[in-house]
Amino acid sequence: MAAVTQLEHQIARQLLQRREAGSEQQDGTRQRSTQQGSVGVDITPWADRLIGILAVTTGLLLVGSYLEELLWAAVAATTVITLR
């Protein structure tokens, strides 16, 4: 069990290091593009949102295929939250 926990921490550290390195590269790219007069469009938030929506939709379809009533309850709850 300790080996699994250690592996999880190692993977998390590597992901955080990649994220930090990527953000530093993006900051440098943005600074260069603004210095050149062109403004870059950052599509990362839209991509993250799309991935999240697709993941939730897939999850609902999988759960709904087993428990149809649960799917209808989730659709109703989502409708109520959306209309609120």
Side-chain angles (χ1 to χ4, degrees):
M1 193 68 176
V4 173
T5 305
Q6 183 180 6
L7 182 62
E8 288 176 351
H9 287 288
Q10 182 181 3
I11 291 170
R13 262 189 261 116
Q14 289 175 354
L15 289 174
L16 289 173
Q17 288 173 350
R18 288 181 188 171
R19 181 180 286 174
E20 289 174 1
S23 66
E24 290 172 0
Q25 289 176 353
Q26 286 180 353
D27 290 341
T29 304
R30 286 183 189 148
Q31 288 176 355
R32 277 187 251 122
S33 66
T34 54
Q35 289 172 353
Q36 294 172 354
S38 64
V39 178
V41 176
D42 189 19
I43 62 169
T44 304
W46 288 102
D48 289 341
R49 183 174 290 177
L50 179 63
I51 290 170
I53 290 170
L54 290 174
V56 169
T57 303
T58 304
L60 285 174
L61 289 174
L62 286 174
V63 170
S65 67
Y66 292 109
L67 302 171
E68 188 175 349
E69 295 83 14
L70 184 59
L71 176 63
W72 285 113
V75 169
T78 306
T79 304
V80 169
I81 290 172
T82 303
L83 294 176
R84 186 169 35 133

